[in-house]
Amino acid sequence: MVRGLVGALAGLSFGLSALSFGLSAQSLVLDNVTGYGWQGDKLVPFSRLVIEDGKVLARGDNRLAIPQGAEVRDLAGKTVLPGLIDAHGHVMALGEGTLNVDLTGAKSLADALSRVARFAKKHPKLPWIQGWGWNQELWPDKRMPTASDLAMLTDGRPVWLSRVDGHAGWANQAALTLAGINAKTPEPSGGQILRGRDGQPSGVLVDNAMNLMTAHLPQLSDALRGQALDAALGIMAKVGLTGVGDAGVDLPTWQLYQQRQASLTARIYAMLEAKPATWQAVKGPIGWQGSDLLAARAVKVFADGALGSRGAAMLADYSDKPGHKGSMLYGPGELEKVMRAAFDAGFQVNVHAIGDAANQRVLDTFASFPPSERKGRRNRIEHAQVMTLGDIERMAKLGVIASFQPTHATSDMNMAQSRIGKDRLKGAYAWRSLVKAGVKMAAGSDFPVESPNPFYGLYAAVTRQDHHGQPKEGWHKEQALTREEALYDFTRGAAYAAFMDKFTGSLAPGQWADLVILDDDYFTVPDSDIWQLKPRETWLAGKAVYRRVE
């Protein structure tokens, strides 16, 4: 399909080839490009892009007039794509991760422990050792870690390490003691305290039980929070992200974003935490600011946990743990109450739902909202990971957006079938089924749970393989997306899901010139090379916010 569009490029000048533009010191032309944008839902190629005052003035072929006095950059055939948008990430967690021990990709318990020990030795004055990213599914024995594993590593300092999905945490005995967690501590609703045979806490807390520990963690100083934000924005610009849906923003973070709005190098769509006090302090859904850099128009609600920690709420027992169905994070009627309150306050409601029971309950709740009030709200399910086939059809009818993360599939493929069995996989990570049903979709990564690199997501969406090309035929390849569909979901689809589609996501005339410049063509490189694409430049509003140093 793309080859046909490229072949028709000579005829695409959008009626502007005979026009003369007035002199403007702010005019810039990117010429001789292999460019792709969107006109509505249609992919549009172009070879010349005219930018004025940070916005796209026109796009077309070499017959498109160049404004008098404009600066012209010949890109010698390099590829230009709309700036990529991550529909679901965690900006501050990404930045704060640079201040903590990184356990992402640790291939064994010993590897993880070695990283903790090195970090602790390098930072002897830190009162706590904190970290992120462990995943026991990558370890040979796949067993959950314990507090005793961390003994003798940190000179007695408390340790708290979040699992890669953010739905479990691993503590040492010093941290458990400080938090007062012992054999007599009751499990909170929607959470688990994993225990040994003697009833003592093993060291791993799941979902709502994590709150027992996080209430005791030291708060970052304002200076360190600013440093974390700068680090996150730098990482995002480097991988080509010009926008993000920030999933679960508390009031201090929102206030930091407001203070730093003028220096943001990506557009942030804040999904506020599910606390009415936060919504009220923000003073309701304020929408995009005049600069189109910052908005708070959504509320993020958690329905259940994650599949890897068996916290996702399932309709039937886990295949690898009979008698266990995961858990909803709210008691009977409470999820509905929170969703209703956010909806009635005028917000878009975005609900984390992994298991089929959670997805079903969330759809039941959306269905209870009057159709006239749902119209135009663009409510979303974040992840929509395991669903019944009937609920996929119902999602389309209700107009609920599927905010999905392609790399979750390739990260989970080695454990998903053992968790839920072959039959339930038919509705799991089922992107093609969502497309066929007519569900609107938006793609992201859930960073730092996964890498923020959107090219990893594009690759996973198209191939359903890991970076070693495994499995050879793709994991349930029948659910893969085309390259065009995947790009749409990381650009215009993600923009639509965040009410950005009028001003970014398509590189259409009148929109901000948010774009990435690549050496190679996303549409023609071999499948195996998609994840290795790297931006040469990332632009926001017509200005480079990242340039690769050769």
Side-chain angles (χ1 to χ4, degrees), residues 209-440:
M210 297 171 68
N211 297 334
L212 302 173
M213 185 63 65
T214 56
H216 298 274
L217 298 178
Q219 298 297 310
L220 287 180
S221 66
D222 290 345
L224 284 177
R225 285 171 56 78
Q227 182 179 328
L229 176 58
D230 288 339
L233 291 170
I235 293 169
M236 291 163 59
K238 185 176 181 179
V239 297
L241 292 175
T242 58
V244 62
D246 197 358
V249 174
D250 60 18
L251 185 57
T253 298
W254 172 253
Q255 292 169 337
L256 174 63
Y257 291 165
Q258 286 188 306
Q259 294 163 9
R260 298 284 300 277
Q261 181 174 346
S263 62
L264 294 178
T265 54
R267 306 185 190 282
I268 297 180
Y269 183 70
M271 307 178 208
L272 301 175
E273 61 182 351
K275 295 181 180 179
T278 299
W279 318 340
Q280 293 162 8
V282 173
K283 294 182 170 48
I286 61 174
W288 287 95
Q289 302 293 287
S291 63
D292 296 333
L293 279 171
L294 183 64
R297 191 171 181 170
V299 167
K300 165 74 178 303
V301 182
F302 282 93
D304 66 345
L307 200 63
S309 53
R310 298 186 185 86
M314 304 300 298
L315 292 169
D317 291 353
Y318 276 80
S319 299
D320 59 357
K321 193 173 182 180
H324 181 69
K325 296 181 180 179
S327 57
M328 298 294 295
L329 300 186
Y330 288 93
E334 288 301 310
L335 174 66
E336 293 77 4
K337 182 178 179 180
V338 172
M339 289 176 62
R340 169 64 68 177
F343 188 81
D344 288 347
F347 288 96
Q348 176 196 52
V349 182
N350 301 343
V351 189
H352 164 115
I354 299 286
D356 52 11
N359 277 286
Q360 189 168 97
R361 187 165 161 188
V362 172
L363 289 175
D364 288 344
T365 307
F366 279 136
S368 73
F369 299 162
S372 60
E373 294 181 23
R374 288 199 310 267
K375 186 177 181 181
R377 195 66 65 90
R378 304 186 189 182
N379 294 316
R380 298 161 46 165
I381 290 182
E382 305 300 314
H383 311 307
Q385 201 160 296
V386 183
M387 301 182 70
T388 67
L389 298 181
D391 278 337
I392 288 176
E393 296 291 334
R394 191 158 64 117
M395 192 176 193
K397 293 177 181 177
L398 291 170
V400 176
I401 296 170
S403 172
F404 73 110
Q405 297 74 41
T407 47
H408 278 349
T410 50
S411 293
D412 293 355
M413 63 185 178
N414 293 324
M415 65 85 178
Q417 184 164 324
S418 66
R419 288 285 189 275
I420 63 175
K422 188 174 181 179
D423 288 343
R424 284 183 286 188
L425 276 180
K426 294 175 183 177
Y429 315 90
W431 314 323
R432 176 56 50 200
S433 296
L434 290 165
V435 170
K436 287 182 177 178
V439 176
K440 287 187 177 295

Side-chain angles (χ1 to χ4, degrees), residues 12 37 87 95 107 144 156 209 231 233 259 270 272 348 374 465 475 521 526 542:
L12 290 172
K107 298 185 182 302
M144 283 287 189
L233 291 170
Q259 294 163 9
L272 301 175
Q348 176 196 52
R374 288 199 310 267
Q465 294 174 322
W475 186 62
D521 187 346

Side-chain angles (χ1 to χ4, degrees), residues 38-61:
W38 303 101
Q39 187 67 38
D41 293 345
K42 181 182 178 183
L43 186 67
V44 174
F46 58 88
S47 61
R48 180 172 291 170
L49 187 71
V50 181
I51 299 168
E52 188 168 82
D53 295 328
K55 292 188 175 182
V56 176
L57 182 64
R59 63 188 182 189
D61 62 15

